[in-house]
Amino acid sequence: MLLVAVGIGVLAVIVSAILGPKKASRAKLMAYESGNDPEHGGVGTNQRFPVHFYLVAMLFIIFDIETAFFYPLAVAYQKLIPFAFFEALTFVLLLLVGYVYVLKKRVLEWA
Amino acid sequence: MPDWLIAALITLLKAVLVALALLTTFAYMTLVERRLLARMQIRWGPNRVGPMGLLQPLADAIKSIFKEDLQVTMADKLVYTLAPIIAIGMALTAFGGIPAGPAGSLFGADPWVYNLDAGLLALLALTSMGVYGIFLGGWASGSKYPILGGLRSSAQMISYELGMGLSILGTLMLIGSLNFRVIVEWQALAGWTVLFQVFAFALFLLSSFAEVNRTPFDLPEAEQEIVAGYLTEYTAIKWALFQMAEYVNMITASALMATLFFGGYRGPVFLDGLIPGISGWPIIWLVVKIAFFLFLFIWVRATLPRFRYDQLMRLGWKLVLPAALTNTMLVAFYLAFLKPAGLGLWFLGLLSLAGLLGLFLMSDRVRALWSAPAAPKVPVKPARPVGGD
């Protein structure tokens, strides 16, 4: 499936590259910036971005690991009750402490 | 020919079939979307190319193939080309695991391309790989708007992925399997999961709208704000591939909702009384459910305005995430204590409904979490009366 799917993508790009016209000019290849000459463009130039994106990514990693731990628990849950309930509760409560800390630190405010 | 070769060939054939079906659906989905949006705005959609505009998708496809394939000078050549391929590859692959019927119902073959025990996990993993396509595309364009769109979309998609992953945990606890077929068969016996998990379904619906970048969450490509986001520097077929990936993700999300919450390829059993065996018609029920959810996607697009970015992130982190965790613990509590006490699944359904209603009732208070920028509370001093003392 992966093979076929990627194959379709590659094929489409190649066919289009063969069939399409090729009349590039300097103005055409300029990055879009409402008709102005682009400033600070280009890959790898040190543009600056809000640290929020970084924080969200970190939080995502933490909570996604939580989700990853939760999946096996969820699938095997019915065999482990009621013991597993308290385990899950402890885990969630611990995470909740971190979550409340994050909330209080106002990390999730995008103002 | 040895057996494994035949099996491999059949799988390959099915993969090609699924991919072509998805691409056709995508093409006609664009037409249907335009027509429906037009109807909702009291005008005609495309109706010139072919009868009822039926050849419009074909014309679009041919046009985008014959367009010039530009590459902005500042772009990173390899990644720029690779990004749409990643996007479409992951989007198409994710759909292959969804079963369209019981084993052997596709002319003697199994109606799925691959069947994994951890099918749900694989699907979630593949859909989240789509983030790479979008973000790399934005980054490699070497221009401002695409980078901004790419950053936005990656932050948005990973945030709502959490909500998505957590909101289905309750369902998994009930069913105890990640295999799609087991999930569908469980629902055939016990009833659709949405009956017991309406709260989780609402959260899942919300997250999947955000996950596939549809209105009201289509900020990465908000035309009025940042031109076309990560698509700004893409032309011709590469642009079309991104669009394709978005729509295919929509179809996959619809199929996932149908499979997880609405009985998958099984129809409602009570209809069996009218026409015997109608609930087991292969594929048709899945297609009907997918079509319904796709209609919902379009309907919502025509109805709701877009969120602001801070509202979007707050909604994801402050509402969906804790609500999904609550739902999970609710199901855990039910399974651990209430079910042994003799309360049936209907009770869980009531609990879940109560959760949803509670959310609605609290909506003003909840909305304050994500619509108003939480200002630090400054006590207002009463003005001193003039004169006096």
Side-chain angles (χ1 to χ4, degrees), chain B residues 161-297:
Chain B
E161 218 177 284
L162 283 180
M164 215 164 164
L166 286 173
S167 59
I168 55 180
L169 279 177
T171 314
L172 295 182
M173 281 182 176
L174 279 179
I175 298 173
S177 173
L178 286 164
N179 189 317
F180 284 124
R181 283 195 298 147
V182 178
I183 292 173
V184 172
E185 293 307 327
W186 185 90
Q187 294 182 66
L189 291 179
W192 290 1
T193 329
V194 71
L195 297 175
F196 323 119
Q197 286 284 294
V198 67
F199 190 33
F201 171 69
L203 294 174
F204 188 80
L205 187 74
L206 198 67
S207 327
S208 54
F209 269 78
E211 187 73 8
V212 300
N213 294 330
R214 289 292 291 186
T215 29
F217 305 108
D218 60 341
L219 285 134
E221 41 194 306
E223 291 96 347
Q224 298 89 341
E225 292 176 29
I226 47 169
V227 197
Y230 60 94
L231 290 171
T232 308
E233 303 293 357
Y234 277 95
T235 57
I237 199 74
K238 288 176 189 158
W239 180 85
L241 284 180
F242 270 124
Q243 289 290 338
M244 231 183 252
E246 184 189 325
Y247 277 82
V248 170
N249 276 334
M250 246 161 82
I251 298 170
T252 311
S254 309
L256 192 56
M257 282 189 271
T259 306
L260 279 180
F261 293 100
F262 284 84
Y265 52 78
R266 295 296 194 106
V269 183
F270 65 87
L271 284 182
D272 277 341
L274 298 176
I275 307 167
I278 191 176
S279 74
W281 285 0
I283 301 186
I284 292 178
W285 278 108
L286 187 68
V287 171
V288 166
K289 288 168 190 170
I290 290 179
F292 170 75
F293 283 113
L294 290 181
F295 175 72
L296 193 68
F297 273 107

